[in-house]
């Protein structure tokens, strides 16, 4: 039997890579996305249903029309800064929207979910590296909204036998190895794309001194004063979702689980910049500016539990792989 997976947010960055991987591995895919922030042309397989999570009639129609075995739920708003200024939008989309999805799933007896959670649920961690038992104290509404869903999933497992795996992503990075799909955010706020945009600008003849690249904070208590993050290749994130689906099938009696997804290794902002200079061969520069509000100094995963329990290993633990694939993509698809 072909497994059919519903991917919400399948037109977004990580969701679109998930759709591609599921298709490559022989799954049937249905994508549900409101296209508010997603891109139609990033959906390279399956049927795309354009709809909002709050539209439970439309969602129900999807469950009626397809024999869905599990849902991989990516649809969410994910800008930390925006969440501080527009918390209502974040709780409505990320929490209420998810609850609409869960209730619709349960009414159609679909009881397996892989959920996109985040290391932002930990806030400023008490200790490093971060394990699943590190206390979760989010410092912004985005992280809080994801933590609230984790709690809902625990309660729904107890009451309604909903089996779920929440995957707490560290910093997603990179593009498809074959250059077929990449990363597109509007506005772009992430470090790696912004570095590569600057490299493209200089490569095209722009004056390095007019740099657009800003390094937020140079006085953190880290090895070079800039923030440390654990960058995980988007394809490795996606392969962990399939591993989570397999685990839910193997161990249906388990309830709601949570795993960190990272590579157990941190890079400073300056180390990422150096690696980008090396891979692009472009000698661009940056300006050091004030810290960005809400940036914890260091977020590095201990992802041992995912590696053991999901029987999963990241293939691209070196950030240079992500940079190489992203450089290929942005060279072929420069920002407009
Ligand atoms: N960062 C930076 N300049 C930028 C964007 C990001 O110095 O233009 C830093 C940011 O402060 C953080 C790291 O790069 O320490 C990764 O930021 P990103 O927004 O990519 O991911 P986040 O860690 O916020 O999820």
């Amino acid at each position: 039997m072909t497994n059919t997976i519903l991917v919400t947010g399948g037109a977004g960055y990580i969701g679109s890579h998930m759709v591609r991987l599921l298709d490559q591995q022989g799954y049937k895919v249905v994508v549900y996305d409101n296209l508010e922030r997603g891109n139609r042309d990033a959906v390279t397989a399956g049927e795309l249903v354009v709809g909002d999570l709050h539209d439970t009639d439309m969602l129900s129609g999807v469950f009626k029309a397809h024999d869905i075995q599990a849902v991989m739920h990516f649809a969410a708003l994910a800008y930390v800064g925006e969440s501080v200024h527009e918390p209502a939008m974040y709780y409505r989309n990320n929490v209420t929207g998810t609850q609409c999805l869960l209730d619709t799933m349960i009414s159609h007896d679909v009881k397996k979910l892989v959920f996109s959670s985040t290391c932002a649920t930990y806030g400023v961690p008490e200790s490093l590296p971060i394990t699943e038992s590190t206390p979760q104290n989010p410092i912004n509404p985005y992280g809080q909204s994801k933590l609230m869903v984790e709690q809902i999933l625990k309660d729904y497992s107890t009451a309604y036998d909903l089996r779920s795996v929440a995957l707490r992503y560290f910093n997603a990075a990179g593009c498809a190895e074959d250059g077929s799909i990449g990363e597109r955010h509007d506005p772009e706020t992430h470090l790696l794309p912004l570095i590569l945009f600057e490299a493209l600008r200089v490569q095209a003849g722009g004056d390095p001194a007019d740099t657009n690249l800003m390094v937020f904070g140079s006085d953190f208590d880290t090895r070079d004063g800039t923030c440390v993050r654990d960058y995980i290749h988007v394809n490795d994130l996606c392969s962990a979702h399939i591993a989570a689906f397999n685990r839910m099938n193997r161990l249906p009696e388990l309830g709601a689980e949570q795993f960190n997804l990272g590579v157990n290794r941190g890079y400073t902002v300056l180390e990422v910049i150096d690696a980008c200079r090396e891979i692009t061969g472009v000698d661009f520069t940056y300006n050091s500016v004030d810290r960005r509000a809400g940036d914890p100094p260091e977020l590095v995963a201990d992802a041992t539990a995912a590696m053991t329990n999901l029987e999963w290993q990241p293939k691209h633990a070196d950030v240079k792989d992500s940079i190489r694939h992203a450089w290929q993509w942005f060279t072929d698809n420069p920002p407009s």
Side-chain angles (χ1 to χ4, degrees), residues 216-227 291-292 295-298:
F216 298 136
S218 50
D219 57 351
F220 289 98
D221 184 17
T222 60
R223 50 186 174 271
D224 62 18
T226 64
C227 288
R291 293 181 181 195
R292 187 172 66 175
D295 269 340
E298 187 158 351

Side-chain angles (χ1 to χ4, degrees), residues 8-10 32-33 53 72-77 93-94 98 116 146:
T8 72
Y32 194 82
D33 198 301
L53 291 174
M72 295 186 179
H73 177 36
F74 296 87
L77 300 176
N93 272 277
N94 296 2
T98 299
S116 301
K146 292 288 184 172

Side-chain angles (χ1 to χ4, degrees), residues 49-117:
V49 180
V50 180
D52 196 274
L53 291 174
H54 296 92
D55 186 347
T56 48
D57 287 342
M58 182 166 282
L59 257 182
S60 268
V62 173
F63 285 98
K64 276 190 205 130
H66 301 275
D67 181 20
I68 290 168
Q69 270 75 55
V71 177
M72 295 186 179
H73 177 36
F74 296 87
L77 300 176
Y79 288 116
V80 167
E82 184 182 60
S83 80
V84 175
H85 301 293
E86 309 252 21
M89 205 164 91
Y90 274 70
Y91 291 119
R92 192 178 322 113
N93 272 277
N94 296 2
V95 183
T96 316
T98 299
Q99 209 184 353
C100 290
L101 170 69
L102 299 180
D103 294 349
T104 308
M105 286 174 64
I106 288 162
S107 69
H108 291 272
D109 207 31
V110 175
K111 295 198 171 175
K112 289 185 195 131
L113 178 90
V114 187
F115 173 60
S116 301
S117 190

Side-chain angles (χ1 to χ4, degrees), residues 124-154:
V124 181
E126 284 176 6
S127 57
L128 289 161
I130 297 170
T131 70
E132 287 75 4
S133 53
T134 299
Q136 289 172 290
N137 295 305
I139 56 170
N140 51 62
Y142 167 64
Q144 185 65 50
S145 71
K146 292 288 184 172
L147 182 58
M148 288 165 87
V149 172
E150 286 195 10
Q151 183 59 49
I152 292 173
L153 292 177
K154 288 177 194 167

Side-chain angles (χ1 to χ4, degrees), residues 69 102 105-113 152-165 248 251-257:
Q69 270 75 55
L102 299 180
M105 286 174 64
I106 288 162
S107 69
H108 291 272
D109 207 31
V110 175
K111 295 198 171 175
K112 289 185 195 131
L113 178 90
I152 292 173
L153 292 177
K154 288 177 194 167
D155 295 339
Y156 273 41
S157 138
T158 308
Y160 311 127
D161 290 326
L162 178 74
R163 176 80 170 91
S164 64
V165 178
M248 288 193 289
L251 300 165
E253 70 283 4
L254 293 183
E257 295 186 289

Side-chain angles (χ1 to χ4, degrees), residues 80 171 189-192 194 213-216 227-229 231 269 292 295-296 299:
V80 167
N171 285 56
T189 62
H190 296 98
L191 179 66
L192 189 50
L194 291 175
L213 182 60
M214 293 180 284
V215 171
F216 298 136
C227 288
V228 175
R229 295 288 182 271
Y231 295 89
V269 173
R292 187 172 66 175
D295 269 340
L299 295 171

